[in-house]
Amino acid sequence: MGEVRSPVHSEPTDPDVDLRVPAQRRELARGQWPVIAVVAAGGAIGACARYASALLWPTATGAFPWTTLWVNVIGCGVIGVFMVVITDVWAAHRLVRPFFGTGVLGGFTTFSTYAVDIQRLVDGGHARTGLLYLASTLLAALAAVWAAANLTRRVIEWRQS
């Protein structure tokens, strides 16, 4: 019997690009370098801003991590405004969204610190605080993106009328 191979799963690609053709593979890769560069640059800026906020407003051991909560909530609010503006108002350059949305805001907001904060709280005997932090961050972040996007849409409609 012949060998049975599992199917190879790949990322979605442009149906007009044949990745078996070396020239088309190179063209696809070349077009991604600017995106990678702006995401990296934006991520560095966002991560530095988050780190600066943690230095300015440190959290004591076992205390509720307000700084990380507010960083995530503010970042989600800004992404709500940003996505409405670049989709409904402004025809942004193709690198604006990866730079600011993925890079800056992705570097600024932090799921990893959020998860580590929860783990430290639970391990330190502050399970209730950890659970409160887990739920409040989730709810506040979702509310922030929803409220910011809706408020931005209303402001845009008001200004256009």
Side-chain angles (χ1 to χ4, degrees):
M1 292 188 100
E3 178 184 38
V4 177
R5 295 184 183 191
S6 64
V8 175
H9 299 285
S10 63
E11 294 295 317
T13 58
D14 184 339
D16 297 329
V17 176
D18 185 351
L19 295 177
R20 293 171 294 189
V21 177
Q24 290 185 9
R25 277 197 315 265
R26 281 191 302 276
E27 184 178 332
L28 184 64
R30 192 175 320 120
Q32 294 301 311
W33 283 112
V35 174
I36 293 167
V38 299
V39 168
I45 292 166
C48 287
R50 177 176 28 97
Y51 181 67
S53 68
L55 291 176
L56 288 170
W57 302 287
T59 300
T61 303
F64 191 91
W66 287 105
T67 302
T68 305
L69 176 122
W70 284 113
V71 160
N72 286 329
V73 170
I74 290 166
C76 287
V78 172
I79 197 82
V81 172
F82 176 68
M83 292 308 293
V84 169
V85 169
I86 69 165
T87 57
D88 296 359
V89 177
W90 179 41
H93 185 276
R94 74 178 189 95
L95 296 177
V96 170
R97 185 174 175 177
F99 171 75
F100 191 72
T102 306
V104 173
L105 292 175
F108 182 65
T109 58
T110 171
F111 181 76
S112 59
T113 302
Y114 165 67
V116 168
D117 286 344
I118 294 166
Q119 186 66 47
R120 284 184 181 157
L121 287 167
V122 170
D123 289 348
H126 304 281
R128 284 188 201 154
T129 304
L131 289 173
L132 176 65
Y133 175 53
L134 182 138
S136 61
T137 297
L138 176 64
L139 294 173
L142 289 172
V145 74
W146 178 84
N150 282 311
L151 182 61
T152 303
R153 283 189 186 97
R154 287 185 180 168
V155 168
I156 290 166
E157 289 171 5
W158 173 76
R159 290 193 66 181
Q160 291 175 345
S161 58

